[in-house]
Each structure stands twice: as structure tokens, then as C-alpha cells.
Amino acid sequence: MITFQGVSKVFRSKEHITKAVDQVTLTVNKGDIYGVIGFSGAGKSTLLRLVNLLETPTEGKVIINSQEISSLSQKELRQLRRRIGMIFQNFNLFNSRTVYGNIAYPLKLAGASKQEVKARVTEMLQFVGLEDKADHYPEQLSGGQKQRVGIARALATSPDILICDEATSALDPETTGEILKLLKKVNEELNITIMLITHEMHVIRSICDRVAVMENGTVIEEGSVFELFAHPKTQTTKNFINVVQNDKLSPKLLALLRANYPGQLVRLIFKGGVTGEPVLSQFAKLFNIDFNIIYGSINELQGQLFGSLIVEIKGDEQEIQRALESLKKKVEVREVINHES
Ligand SMILES: Nc1ncnc2c1ncn2[C@@H]1O[C@H](COP(=O)(O)OP(=O)(O)O)[C@@H](O)[C@H]1O
Ligand SMILES: [Mg+2]
């Protein structure tokens, strides 16, 4: 478990004072994949670097498995770092060493014997699917393969925490998918707690259990991934979500919709079990109104279904209002106009 308690990090130079991390309090539960999302400069990398004391907090406490890490001795700190693996956007491999040499490096540093090194490197190569690349050099590998080496190296010393700084940001979408799958395997098969940072919501949606949204050094929203998607509170979060749901209507499309559908346009958000209910036909029977379905999409989130429908409702104004009030008890109702623009 990783806990941040009122943690701040201030960088001071002659000209500038930057509060990169500002009073952050959050908990990463053991066994979770915890995501931190935010735009560039939000303070994500600094927050992550506080976990393995690559940065020391200016204020507050970072507690890992009930140990406050800033009070550790040099020896304890070395031990702690061995239990925290880290991977990077640009892989940070040693170009002069082979794949084998890269993965062996932290093991040698930890004083493992030649035999132990060989056994562990072989095991890790198998785990990341690069058995045939042991003698290759990084420059002979694709981006995805390089990140696999990065992961194997980070896991060589059997850490219980893996921290990932934009680990898929330099990769194409397909390779990103493969690396995210591998991270999920790391989490599930090796029981490793993962804290990752990203500026891409699809990364959060694919593999994270919980998420924090960061802006200007502070956490502006935090919760389970499902809750965040279901009830986003801030505009920043809504913007991140819109990108992945591909649901935001362009002004042109919205204008065309209005011109073509004179009735009331609403977006209905269905979550979890409600997606299996014939809500619309029930309401058409209960109230004297008609639904005209214009657009629909469905997504999977944390094993739950999450649907979105844009419908035109036709009928008497008062009857529509009565129906909407009642609908709101079942699904989330958003006025298309206000929400989208
Ligand atoms: N070592 C440093 N010295 C001075 N300022 C820094 C340093 N590291 C980060 N910053 C500043 O802290 C802020 C947050 O940076 P960072 O944590 O890298 O954000 P992110 O990873 O979200 O892009 C930025 O304004 C950045 O310029
Ligand atoms: Mg960063």
C-alpha cells in the first residue's frame, strides 16, 4: 500500500518557485492498478518520483507498507528501491548492453550469483515473451520490445510495486494494447501493485482500478474508474472522458441534429444492470410520448456495461417533463444542448 499524506513538492530556482505537487493525499491499495491522469505539467512525474524517493517531499509524508520512507537509512532506502520497479516512456535501456545484460543489471547490483542471474533473466525473458532476443541490442528492437525489456528489468529483483511513467506514450495503438495487457498480467499473475501515470484516458479505462485526476499539482478528482466515468465532477475529467467515448458532438453535427429533429433531444446514460432493461419501451408505454433513437454506443468499463443513447422525445411538453423526471430515477439524463456545448 502506498499512501500520500498532504504531500507537496516545491522546486526552487533563482527565478522560479514551482509547486509541482500541491497537498496530495491519496492511497494506492495493495494489488490495485492505480492510474494518475493529467495534462503535461500537472505534476504526475514528480508525484511518481516521490514513491521511490527520486524526489523528496517538501511537505507531507509518503508511506509505503506502513513505513514513512523519508526517514529510511541509506541501506533501507536501497532495499526499498529494490522492491519498487520503474519503467519509463523512453525505456531508459543501456544501449551498450544486450537484452540479457539489461535485465541482469539490477540483479548483479543486488549481489546475485551468476547462476541466480541466469535463472532469473531466463524466467523474465519468458514472462515478457522475448526468449529469442536475449543477445540482441536495444537498437535492434521495436518500441514494444524495448518496453518489454524495460518491464523485465524492472521486475528482475521481484519488486512488489511497479511504477510506470507514461510507459505507453511512445508506442503506437496496437503496441500500446499489448503492453497494457502485459502490465495487467504483471498485476494479476505476480501480484504486483502498479501505479501508472498517463495523459491518455484509454490507458486508464483499459487496465486501472482506481484513478486520480491531477491539475496544477493537485488531485482534483479521485475514485474507482467506473465511478469517474459514471459521475465525472470536473470539466477536466469530462474532457478526458469525451476523448475516449468519442461521443462529443461537433457543433456542426449538433446544428444538423437540431434542424432535423425538432423534438427534445436528450442523452441517456445507462450504467451497469440498467443496460439490460427495456427502459425506453417501458416509458413509451407508461407515458404518452414517443422516442426516436438517433445515436447509441456501448462501452465496457471495469467489467460493467456503460451505454449512451441520444434520443429525440416527441409529445406534449408536460408529458415529456413527467417522463424525464421518472426516467432520471433509472438512467442519467443529460440535455444534449447544455452538455455538449
Ligand atoms: N527538477 C525540476 N526542477 C524544476 N521544476 C521542475 C522539475 N521537475 C518538474 N518541474 C516542474 O514541475 C511541474 C510538474 O512537472 P511534472 O511532474 O514533470 O509534470 P507531468 O509529469 O504531469 O508532465 C512542471 O511545471 C515542471 O516544469
Ligand atoms: Mg511527466
Side-chain angles (χ1 to χ4, degrees):
M1 194 164 87
I2 310 165
T3 304
F4 294 82
Q5 276 178 8
V7 174
S8 298
K9 176 67 188 181
V10 181
F11 292 108
R12 284 171 213 277
S13 69
K14 274 198 184 118
E15 297 90 38
H16 294 288
I17 295 182
T18 310
K19 205 157 193 185
V21 172
D22 190 0
Q23 289 291 329
V24 167
T25 295
L26 59 83
T27 296
V28 178
N29 290 320
K30 194 168 162 45
D32 266 4
I33 303 186
Y34 193 102
V36 178
I37 188 166
F39 294 113
S40 178
K44 307 181 298 294
S45 293
T46 307
L47 186 75
L48 204 63
R49 290 162 61 83
L50 288 161
V51 175
N52 55 1
L53 279 187
L54 288 178
E55 304 287 357
T56 50
T58 312
E59 221 188 324
K61 292 177 182 168
V62 181
I63 299 160
I64 298 179
N65 299 338
S66 57
Q67 265 188 318
E68 212 253 286
I69 61 175
S70 62
S71 58
L72 297 179
S73 66
Q74 280 303 317
K75 190 173 164 223
E76 287 170 323
L77 183 59
R78 273 199 303 278
Q79 281 168 347
L80 174 84
R81 287 214 174 110
R82 230 169 272 158
R83 292 178 36 225
I84 303 174
M86 183 165 186
I87 57 172
F88 308 85
Q89 177 170 359
N90 297 317
F91 323 119
N92 286 14
L93 301 179
F94 301 112
N95 288 322
S96 59
R97 290 173 203 255
T98 60
V99 166
Y100 187 100
N102 268 279
I103 304 170
Y105 185 80
L107 293 165
K108 287 181 183 163
L109 219 57
S113 72
K114 212 169 168 181
Q115 265 176 333
E116 285 167 335
V117 171
K118 185 153 191 266
R120 184 66 181 160
V121 174
T122 308
E123 194 182 352
M124 290 324 298
L125 281 171
Q126 243 165 19
F127 186 82
V128 301
L130 287 180
E131 300 97 313
D132 55 337
K133 297 281 188 282
D135 300 327
H136 285 55
Y137 284 88
E139 63 182 19
Q140 298 170 295
L141 304 176
S142 69
Q145 289 168 337
K146 282 182 200 168
Q147 196 56 293
R148 283 171 192 273
V149 178
I151 292 169
R153 183 180 62 181
L155 300 183
T157 53
S158 307
D160 36 33
I161 294 168
L162 178 67
I163 55 181
C164 315
D165 191 340
E166 303 270 2
T168 56
S169 298
L171 306 174
D172 62 63
E174 198 185 322
T175 314
T176 293
E178 289 166 11
I179 295 298
L180 293 179
K181 227 163 114 184
L182 178 58
L183 290 178
K184 189 86 188 159
K185 183 170 126 172
V186 167
N187 172 249
E188 285 176 349
E189 290 182 18
L190 307 179
N191 276 322
I192 292 177
T193 305
I194 297 181
M195 183 170 177
L196 65 83
I197 63 171
T198 180
H199 62 277
E200 297 176 303
M201 199 51 136
H202 74 90
V203 169
I204 302 282
R205 190 177 69 178
S206 313
I207 61 165
C208 292
D209 301 295
R210 290 184 76 81
V211 57
V213 182
M214 267 188 102
E215 198 166 59
N216 298 325
T218 64
V219 170
I220 57 168
E221 216 165 325
E222 205 265 346
S224 77
V225 171
F226 187 78
E227 265 307 305
L228 194 92
F229 271 79
H231 307 289
K233 294 187 190 78
T234 62
Q235 194 55 46
T236 302
T237 306
K238 286 175 190 169
N239 291 344
F240 275 121
I241 290 172
N242 279 335
V243 175
V244 279
Q245 287 186 330
N246 202 16
D247 263 359
K248 201 176 158 105
L249 306 181
S250 70
K252 235 176 163 174
L253 179 57
L254 191 56
L256 258 177
L257 281 179
R258 291 230 194 89
N260 284 284
Y261 300 97
Q264 183 156 358
L265 291 179
V266 292
R267 184 193 284 279
L268 308 176
I269 311 284
F270 295 75
K271 291 158 211 156
V274 185
T275 52
E277 291 180 38
V279 174
L280 288 190
S281 65
Q282 282 168 359
F283 273 80
K285 279 179 208 149
L286 278 170
F287 298 91
N288 189 19
I289 52 168
D290 284 307
F291 288 104
N292 186 7
I293 298 173
I294 298 168
Y295 169 84
S297 69
I298 192 148
N299 281 296
E300 177 272 340
L301 256 183
Q302 304 290 296
Q304 300 193 61
L305 291 170
F306 190 88
S308 165
L309 267 188
I310 295 179
V311 296
E312 178 193 28
I313 309 180
K314 289 176 166 176
D316 173 70
E317 181 65 28
Q318 278 190 337
E319 189 70 355
I320 292 178
Q321 284 318 314
R322 280 206 321 128
L324 284 177
E325 283 315 308
S326 186
L327 253 179
K328 280 176 188 165
K329 291 177 192 142
K330 281 258 171 204
V331 301
E332 191 177 329
V333 180
R334 293 183 194 163
E335 214 180 321
V336 169
I337 307 151
N338 290 342
H339 178 68
E340 314 295 342
S341 49

